[in-house]
Amino acid sequence: MQGDTADDIERICYFVQDEDRLLDYWKTALGVTEESAIVPPAEKKHLFIDIDDVLVSRHGWGRTSFVVEGEYQNWRIAPRPYIPWFLSRLEPYYHLHAFTSSNSVYARNVLNRLPNTKLLKNVFTRDHCVLINREHYKIPRNVMSSLDGGAVWTREYEAANSVLFDNDPFYAEPDYRDNVVTAKVFKDYDNDDYLFRVLGLLKALAVQGNIQSSLRAWKEDWMAKGIVRQGYPGDFSDHV
C-alpha cells in the first residue's frame, strides 16, 4: 500500500467477507470433513484467549449475567455460550492461557465465575502489558517466557507455537500479527454460537508445524478467494 506510514502498515488487518467459509477453512486446510478427525498434536501448542469481548461481554443483561468488581467500577458480565465445552475440547491441543488489559482483581473475579477455567494454565493481566499511546495495553512477546520455567524463548519458537485469540489484532506485537486469529466480538446474545463454530479452525492450527507461517499462508489464500479483505481497524465489524 504505497504511501502508507510504518504506523499505518502496522494497523492493517484482514476483515471477514464470508464468515461461513472462513470458519470452515479447516476442511480445506486439512482435507477432512469431520472436526473429530483432527488428531491432537504430539506436543501441545499455546493458545492465548482474550477475556473481554471474546469470553465475556462487560455490558451483559442476559439471564446468565453476573456482577464483578472492577478497578474503578463494577461490571455486569455476560459469559459467552459454550465456554466450558470450548475449553475442554481445545485442552488436548493447546496449553490454554487467558489474558486481559484489565487488572488482576477484575480478571480473577471474572474467571472465578466461569466454568472450566481450571483448564487455564496462566492468566496474564495489565501487570504483564506494555502501555502504548498512553491508553492502550499491548501484550509483549516476553510474557510468554514465563511459560517455559522462566527461560526466554526464541522468537522462532514463540511464533511457531503460539496463537493469540483476540478481538483486536492491533494490540498484538507487530512481529506476531500473523499469530492472531481475531475473534468475533461477543455482544451478549443468548444464541451466539461463535465458540462452537471456530473450534475446528483453532484445532487445525494446533496441528500445523509452524503456526505463524501457516496462518500467514492461510490469510493469503483467504484474500485470493475473497473470504477476507485488507483494511484498517474501524473499517469493518469483523476482522482476522
Side-chain angles (χ1 to χ4, degrees):
M1 303 181 81
Q2 190 172 5
D4 287 337
T5 66
D7 183 62
D8 286 337
I9 291 171
E10 276 195 11
R11 292 176 61 85
I12 293 174
C13 303
Y14 294 84
F15 294 83
V16 177
Q17 298 288 95
D18 189 331
E19 184 178 86
D20 289 337
R21 290 174 66 198
L22 174 71
L23 296 181
D24 283 342
Y25 188 79
W26 54 271
K27 298 177 182 178
T28 300
L30 300 184
V32 298
T33 57
E34 297 295 332
E35 171 252 315
S36 59
I38 305 176
V39 179
E43 294 187 12
K44 293 182 181 181
K45 302 299 197 298
H46 293 273
L47 178 63
F48 297 82
I49 308 170
D50 191 13
I51 296 175
D52 295 320
D53 296 323
V54 178
L55 291 182
V56 304
S57 169
R58 294 203 295 184
H59 308 283
W61 294 100
R63 57 184 175 81
T64 60
S65 64
F66 52 87
V67 176
V68 300
E69 177 185 353
E71 186 173 6
Y72 302 111
Q73 68 183 83
N74 292 341
W75 295 95
R76 181 169 288 278
I77 301 298
R80 196 167 206 158
Y82 296 103
I83 288 175
W85 179 88
F86 178 76
L87 295 177
S88 64
R89 293 294 294 272
L90 284 177
E91 196 275 334
Y93 298 80
Y94 291 99
H95 298 292
L96 302 173
H97 318 280
F99 68 90
T100 177
S101 58
S102 297
N103 66 7
S104 58
V105 172
Y106 167 82
R108 182 174 63 252
N109 289 342
V110 170
L111 293 176
N112 283 345
R113 298 288 298 273
L114 298 181
N116 261 19
T117 53
K118 64 181 182 298
L119 297 177
L120 298 171
K121 291 178 66 68
N122 293 282
V123 179
F124 298 109
T125 66
R126 182 177 300 175
D127 295 337
H128 304 96
C129 294
V130 174
L131 179 64
I132 59 172
N133 300 333
R134 298 185 179 181
E135 60 177 338
H136 299 299
Y137 289 87
K138 181 178 291 188
I139 304 262
R141 63 174 64 90
N142 60 11
V143 159
M144 301 180 198
S145 66
S146 66
L147 304 180
D148 196 25
V152 178
W153 293 359
T154 65
R155 290 189 183 186
E156 291 75 20
Y157 187 81
E158 290 180 22
N161 293 277
S162 300
V163 179
L164 306 179
F165 191 45
D166 193 359
N167 65 293
D168 197 334
F170 177 60
Y171 300 115
E173 282 279 355
D175 289 354
Y176 296 93
R177 200 65 52 78
D178 281 325
N179 289 70
V180 178
V181 172
T182 306
K184 186 175 183 178
V185 173
F186 175 47
K187 298 180 179 179
D188 188 18
Y189 299 133
D190 287 340
N191 62 348
D192 184 291
D193 64 351
Y194 181 76
L195 294 183
F196 179 82
R197 298 181 65 208
V198 77
L199 183 78
L201 190 67
L202 292 174
K203 288 172 70 171
L205 268 177
V207 300
Q208 302 302 307
N210 184 305
I211 284 177
Q212 186 179 73
S213 60
S214 296
L215 191 50
R216 184 180 293 132
W218 289 9
K219 288 180 178 180
E220 291 175 357
D221 195 28
W222 297 344
M223 282 279 293
K225 293 178 177 177
I227 297 174
V228 303
R229 60 161 294 178
Q230 283 186 325
Y232 296 100
D235 291 348
F236 303 90
S237 59
D238 297 319
H239 46 277
V240 299

